[in-house]
């Protein structure tokens, strides 16, 4: 009667939260898709008890699964495309797409370096379709660019890095729970020299 009792699957207490890799598998998402879903707030994470990487509550997994159209709708929300595919979605040339992005009209959601060490920007397909469908943007899609925009582009201004940083900073700050984490979020987007100048 005494001794140790072996826990069975029926009596084992389920984990209250999952590691992000496990959560991604349960939601049928690739790693990059899951990371984007978290950044966009489509999947909410919670702080880990040990201070490690944030986790996903079991209730959150169930909430996402209960969303209409899951899993296809979730994948479509986090679908990121490059310049060529994005231009096709908007029915414009790649040259016009690039000019709109450089001018800050289209905000990148991710980037990577290709084999030539060149930056490749990625954009949310959902946002591109919304931009193209908005009547107010029709002149930008078909007509001559406004003089102010053309002047900035001719001067070599490219707002893609700045817009990506702003978007990423918003995500980091949204997950911060105290002043130190907010400070770290901002510092992570600065170069080391600037951080040394600001932090005594």
């Amino acid at each position: 009667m005494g001794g140790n009792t072996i826990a069975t699957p029926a009596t084992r207490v389920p984990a209250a939260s999952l590691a992000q890799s496990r959560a991604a598998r349960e939601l049928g998402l690739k790693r990059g898709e899951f990371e984007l879903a978290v950044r966009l707030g489509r999947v909410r994470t919670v702080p880990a008890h040990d201070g490690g990487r944030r986790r996903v509550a079991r209730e959150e997994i169930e909430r996402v699964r209960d969303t209409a159209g899951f899993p296809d709708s979730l994948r479509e929300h986090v679908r990121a495309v490059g310049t060529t595919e994005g231009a096709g979605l908007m029915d414009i040339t790649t040259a016009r797409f690039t000019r709109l992005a450089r001018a800050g009209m289209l905000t990148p959601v991710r980037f990577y370096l290709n084999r030539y060490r060149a930056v490749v920007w990625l954009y949310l397909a959902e946002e591109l379709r919304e931009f193209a469908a908005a009547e107010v943007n029709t002149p930008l899609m078909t007509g001559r660019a406004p003089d102010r925009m053309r002047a900035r582009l001719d001067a070599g201004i490219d707002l893609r890095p700045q817009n990506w940083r702003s978007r990423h900073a918003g995500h980091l700050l949204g997950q911060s729970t105290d002043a130190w984490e907010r400070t770290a979020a901002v510092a992570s987007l600065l170069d080391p020299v600037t951080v040394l100048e600001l932090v005594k």
Side-chain angles (χ1 to χ4, degrees), residues 111-190:
F111 73 89
Y112 67 90
L113 297 180
N114 63 16
R115 65 165 73 175
Y116 306 107
R117 308 301 292 174
V119 176
V120 178
W121 297 103
L122 300 176
Y123 307 81
L124 281 178
E126 186 175 57
E127 290 183 353
L128 299 182
R129 284 193 294 266
E130 290 174 356
F131 183 94
E135 192 172 329
V136 68
N137 295 325
T138 299
L140 297 174
M141 303 279 293
T142 58
R144 181 183 175 88
D147 292 341
R148 185 177 180 183
M149 180 188 297
R150 285 185 18 251
R152 289 161 68 185
L153 291 172
D154 292 344
I157 292 177
D158 187 347
L159 296 178
R160 289 174 295 184
Q162 176 181 315
N163 285 349
W164 176 84
R165 283 194 299 270
S166 296
R167 181 172 218 158
H168 188 54
H171 162 68
L172 294 177
L173 291 171
Q175 291 196 326
S176 301
T177 57
D178 58 37
W180 284 112
E181 288 189 357
R182 288 191 291 274
T183 301
V186 175
S188 71
L189 298 171
L190 301 175

Side-chain angles (χ1 to χ4, degrees), residues 35 49 103 190:
E35 291 175 351
H49 294 304
L190 301 175

Side-chain angles (χ1 to χ4, degrees), residues 58-77:
R58 171 58 67 182
E59 292 80 3
E60 178 66 1
I61 297 293
E62 299 306 322
R63 182 193 70 80
V64 175
R65 282 176 168 171
D66 288 341
T67 303
F70 176 85
D72 294 337
S73 58
L74 178 59
R75 290 200 190 100
E76 189 57 31
H77 285 315

Side-chain angles (χ1 to χ4, degrees), residues 17-20 45-56 181:
S17 64
L18 306 176
Q20 293 193 28
T45 60
V46 295
H49 294 304
D50 60 0
R53 193 179 186 198
R54 294 175 68 90
R55 299 173 64 85
V56 181
E181 288 189 357

